[in-house]
Amino acid sequence: MPTAIVTGATGILGGAIVDALGRDPEKWTKVYAVSRSQKQAYPANVEHSFIDLTSDAAEMAKQLQGVKVDYCFFAAYLQKDTEEEMSEVNGKMLRNFLDALDITGASKKLKRVILTTGCKQYGVHLGQVKCPMEESDPWIDAPGRPPNFYYTQQRILVEKSNASGSYEWVVTYPNDVIGVAQNNFMNLATSLGLYCAVSKELGDELIFPGSEFFYTAFDCFTDSRLHADFNLWAAEAPGCGNQAFNVVNGDADSWHNLWPKIAKRFNCQIPKNQFKVDSRFEGLKMKLDDSAPINDMAATLGLEGATFSNTLDQKIDLVKWSQNQGVIEAWKRVQQRHGLEEGVFEKATWSFLGFVLGRDYNIVISMAKARKLGWVGYIDNYEAFDIAFDELENLKVLPPTG
Ligand SMILES: NC(=O)c1ccc[n+]([C@@H]2O[C@H](COP(=O)([O-])OP(=O)(O)OC[C@H]3O[C@@H](n4cnc5c(N)ncnc54)[C@H](OP(=O)(O)O)[C@@H]3O)[C@@H](O)[C@H]2O)c1
């Protein structure tokens, strides 16, 4: 029966992988969960280890003595202020960890290392991208492009896998993750749910705070549990070794499809002409990068000289909104009325939510490659949000909506 080690065990994506492995003790007889903190109790087949992945390989090897596993799921991630620092620290964590497995001899038994990255792979954070995005698309790393820590990590993983002569590599590209991890409130569903709950408290109107263009354009989401199932499948499925895969829910979606369903859940009304009415909150327009990623392949696509979007357009600047006195007081009323968790509003990722909703271009991600190899996983996008909101209500992060 296979065994596994998961880094990023307290994270949105790593936590879901630990949960999936923990749920199946008959198959996954031993699972090591690695992070600097522990935020939940684990089932008997899961053992938690406190390891700081920024420490050097020899130090980590001492802590990993006796750990021999078939599969490694690497989902640790450290946020930094600049892309250069992100590349430096996230590359170092992966390299030192894999080096430590070499020192202990564990890498000889390893069959596959599955690394979680994301759709920044395609430059979705820089501007308009080619759609649908396919794993064979060229990397956005032409001179002048900002560094991308996913590229750094993938180069390290491929190099270490080739040198090992034993294990294969797999990389996943999730996008706009929907999920919840215990005591980790820096995620899309939390900030979106808080925005809705406070909008309800301020009156019944739920204005889409993002871009008018994006409201009727397309986005793709990744449910954290579906991503975990994908990791377990890709670890063992024949033909998945030494490959990268997009991992999204299965259907492209739009906010004009999701927003009315979300408004209904939070008992709010959408203004009939929400992009025409003046909001009392300030908006934000900003440039993401000098040139949209699609420009790098425009000539190949026969689109040289065409104009592409590289902007963010928020009807409501959510960072400023979250600092507005009336908003803060409305949240305090909701929080006290329902005895909700302290500090979540302050920890919520307002700039990330503003980015996700404010893009001025489509995000369509192909699942063809995995499907051809037998992947059949799927979840409806609104259902994924609904489940995450239910969990956040149970954790007393969001008020009950009935
Ligand atoms: N969340 C999204 O919306 C999203 C979307 C697309 C792609 N991704 C990508 O998915 C990957 C995982 O992201 P995530 O959102 O799941 O991250 P996350 O929720 O922020 O979790 C990060 C994990 O890494 C661990 N970690 C951080 N520094 C560590 C260190 N020095 N030593 C040991 N463990 C450390 C954290 O645990 P401790 O703090 O307890 O150590 C935590 O378990 C990243 O590459 C991210 O870019 C995320």
Side-chain angles (χ1 to χ4, degrees), residues 8-13 35-37 51-54 75-78 93 116-118 149-150 174 176-177 184 352:
T10 50
I12 303 289
L13 291 165
S35 48
R36 292 166 303 177
S37 61
I51 295 181
D52 184 345
L53 296 168
T54 59
Y77 161 59
L78 203 44
M93 291 204 298
T116 298
T117 64
F149 80 91
Y150 295 159
D176 294 352
V177 170
N184 179 339
F352 178 62

Side-chain angles (χ1 to χ4, degrees), residues 19-66:
D19 288 347
L21 294 163
R23 270 196 300 272
D24 192 359
E26 307 255 300
K27 174 166 179 179
W28 298 95
T29 47
K30 184 78 193 177
V31 177
Y32 298 91
V34 171
S35 48
R36 292 166 303 177
S37 61
Q38 183 177 352
K39 292 179 175 161
Q40 66 185 99
Y42 289 114
N45 62 331
V46 178
E47 182 179 323
H48 185 269
S49 302
F50 295 95
I51 295 181
D52 184 345
L53 296 168
T54 59
S55 45
D56 68 34
E59 181 58 37
M60 255 189 271
K62 284 187 210 149
Q63 295 174 278
L64 290 164
Q65 278 306 327

